[in-house]
Amino acid sequence: MLMEHGLRDDRLAQGLGFTQFLTPDGGLAKQLDGRMDDSLLLDMYRNMVIARQFDRKAVNLQRQGRLGTYAPFEGQEAAQIGSALAIAKDDWMFPTYRDHAATITRGQSMTTVLLYWAGRLEGGAGTKSLRILPPSVPIATHLLHAVGMAWATKLRKENVVTVGYFGDGASSEGDFHEALNFAGVYHLPIIFICQNNGYAISVPFSKQSASKTISQRASAYDIEGERVDGNDVLAVFDAVSRARERARAGGGPTLIEAVTFRYGAHTTADDPKRYRDQELATDWRAHRDPITRLKRFLEERQLWTEDFEADVMADATARIEQALDEFARYDAPNPLDMFEHVYAEMPWHLKEQAAELERAMEKDGMQP
């Protein structure tokens, strides 16, 4: 079912429909039929609100100089949290640098995320106990790693699923196509989740590809493909849940395209006003916001109350403040760390560069 409001977004053109449970005004476009109970619905809302509050705090921390840079996700909460809640503890998660709403929902500490954006090594190690891999900055390269994990679990006869996140820009990379091809050939238990934000930094999707959707590319690799309303947390949860069960039953890979919109910049070093009509962001926030949509639905079912909202906000504040306290105990990262942990024995040219940087730091009064 197509959403209405007449937005100037080519991804919502007639004929390019997608799976949708919640309409923008919070009504049901498709019956739940027992797929999601009240407890889960409230958990979805709580996690989305907490993630948004964390995201806003992280942006403020970057502006204060306490983080090096930051990739915000506000507007994409439903795509990340709906998918994270749909997978099991034994499944594997391969996130990008922007998927901290998903990783936090899965159990990763907010402190770890802050350390990552502050440049501390501890933040980029992933969380092995939660089967969360380190966030991937190189675009689409981690999809091949995710395929390797899915292949390994299949060879070991482990009935688990691997999930790989990426954005629409990654679908223009060769790694994306190689990953889908390999997954299709070996019929692997993997779910590829594309958050189609409509822009690869400054390049709109219409200039990235002649294909109208990303999900239609699944047919080229003979795997399942589905397009969902990425701002509808119920639709995302349902699509990923079905893809997971299909994969565990031997049905192979699924490519899910979640059509969404990030309100803010690509990163805090970016200015979207230079390439994107800001009225579009205003329209998405006003008419399609994932949190507002779910709140209206919960209100209609008499599940949302002001007391519940106050409890959620208090929970968000407490968790964020705890993370900030823990984060403050760490020293600033040592720039010389960038030369470590790559080679077993550092080659000569890196030794020279490290020495040059150390001299520059001493000249500027910085302690190496």
Side-chain angles (χ1 to χ4, degrees):
M1 178 177 178
L2 282 172
M3 298 188 289
E4 299 174 356
H5 285 298
L7 293 180
R8 297 162 294 166
D9 193 324
D10 293 341
R11 298 171 302 147
L12 304 181
Q14 292 296 322
L16 302 181
F18 40 58
T19 303
Q20 182 186 79
F21 277 80
L22 286 181
T23 61
D25 60 4
L28 273 180
K30 186 176 181 179
Q31 293 303 312
L32 299 183
D33 295 330
R35 292 180 177 92
M36 291 155 262
D37 59 22
D38 291 350
S39 176
L40 176 59
L41 296 175
L42 292 171
D43 197 28
M44 289 173 171
Y45 183 82
R46 178 181 294 273
N47 278 284
M48 287 202 292
V49 170
I50 289 173
R52 179 165 294 186
Q53 294 305 308
F54 173 82
D55 189 61
R56 291 176 175 178
K57 174 61 73 172
V59 171
N60 289 337
L61 290 172
Q62 193 281 329
R63 298 309 188 204
Q64 296 167 12
R66 298 172 68 183
L67 301 180
T69 187
Y70 180 73
F73 57 77
E74 184 169 347
Q76 298 181 214
E77 294 92 349
Q80 294 192 29
I81 290 166
S83 57
L85 290 175
I87 61 177
K89 292 181 179 180
D90 290 340
D91 295 332
W92 290 90
M93 178 182 284
F94 283 72
T96 72
Y97 54 87
R98 196 187 305 281
D99 295 314
H100 20 295
T103 63
I104 289 172
T105 298
R106 189 162 172 81
Q108 188 172 58
S109 75
M110 294 179 179
T111 306
T112 297
V113 177
L114 294 175
L115 289 171
Y116 172 75
W117 289 108
R120 293 281 315 190
L121 294 175
E122 299 88 342
T127 306
K128 186 177 181 180
S129 61
L130 298 172
R131 296 195 166 190
I132 300 174
L133 275 290
S136 177
V137 174
I139 305 302
T141 58
H142 67 301
L143 296 181
L144 293 169
H145 306 159
V147 166
M149 179 63 75
W151 193 16
T153 60
K154 183 176 181 177
L155 292 173
R156 293 172 179 169
K157 302 187 186 305
E158 299 174 6
N159 197 14
V160 300
V161 175
T162 299
V163 175
Y165 290 90
F166 61 103
D168 52 288
S171 70
S172 298
E173 296 284 346
D175 304 75
F176 163 80
H177 296 278
E178 292 163 4
L180 264 65
N181 184 60
F182 205 103
V185 168
Y186 289 92
H187 210 60
L188 301 179
I190 185 170
I191 306 171
F192 300 98
I193 301 177
C194 175
Q195 297 169 77
N196 185 352
N197 168 66
Y199 286 84
I201 307 184
S202 61
V203 182
F205 181 70
S206 60
K207 292 186 178 180
Q208 297 177 53
S209 172
S211 62
K212 300 301 182 184
T213 72
I214 291 172
S215 58
Q216 73 188 74
R217 299 180 187 179
S219 61
Y221 303 102
D222 199 24
I223 67 175
E224 293 289 330
E226 183 170 357
R227 197 167 189 257
V228 302
D229 180 349
N231 279 26
D232 175 359
V233 67
L234 307 190
V236 175
F237 177 87
D238 179 70
V240 176
S241 296
R242 287 186 285 105
R244 181 178 181 274
E245 289 307 311
R246 185 165 52 244
R248 293 179 73 242
T254 300
L255 170 62
I256 295 176
E257 175 188 0
V259 181
T260 184
F261 194 92
R262 185 180 64 256
Y263 303 142
H266 175 73
T267 70
T268 48
D270 175 47
D271 180 7
K273 295 190 296 293
R274 296 174 63 89
Y275 56 81
R276 192 177 72 183
D277 184 353
Q278 293 307 291
E279 290 184 9
L280 192 61
T282 301
D283 285 340
W284 273 85
R285 186 186 290 276
H287 300 302
R288 306 170 191 273
D289 184 76
I291 296 178
T292 301
R293 183 186 301 196
L294 182 58
K295 177 183 175 182
R296 289 169 178 166
F297 177 66
L298 294 176
E299 285 180 307
E300 181 65 25
R301 293 171 69 99
Q302 298 183 340
L303 293 173
W304 185 95
T305 64
E306 291 187 0
D307 287 343
F308 170 68
E309 182 74 12
D311 179 69
V312 170
M313 293 302 293
D315 187 12
T317 299
R319 290 180 59 182
I320 293 170
E321 289 303 317
Q322 180 182 350
L324 289 174
D325 288 343
E326 295 172 355
F327 173 62
R329 297 173 193 155
Y330 287 83
D331 294 329
N334 185 346
L336 290 172
D337 287 345
M338 75 174 81
F339 297 98
E340 303 292 341
H341 312 295
V342 177
Y343 295 96
E345 184 177 348
M346 192 183 299
W348 65 268
H349 63 286
L350 288 187
K351 289 181 180 179
E352 288 187 354
Q353 292 176 31
E356 182 178 354
L357 176 59
E358 186 171 3
R359 289 192 296 270
M361 291 170 61
E362 291 173 350
K363 183 178 180 181
D364 292 339
M366 296 176 63
Q367 292 295 326

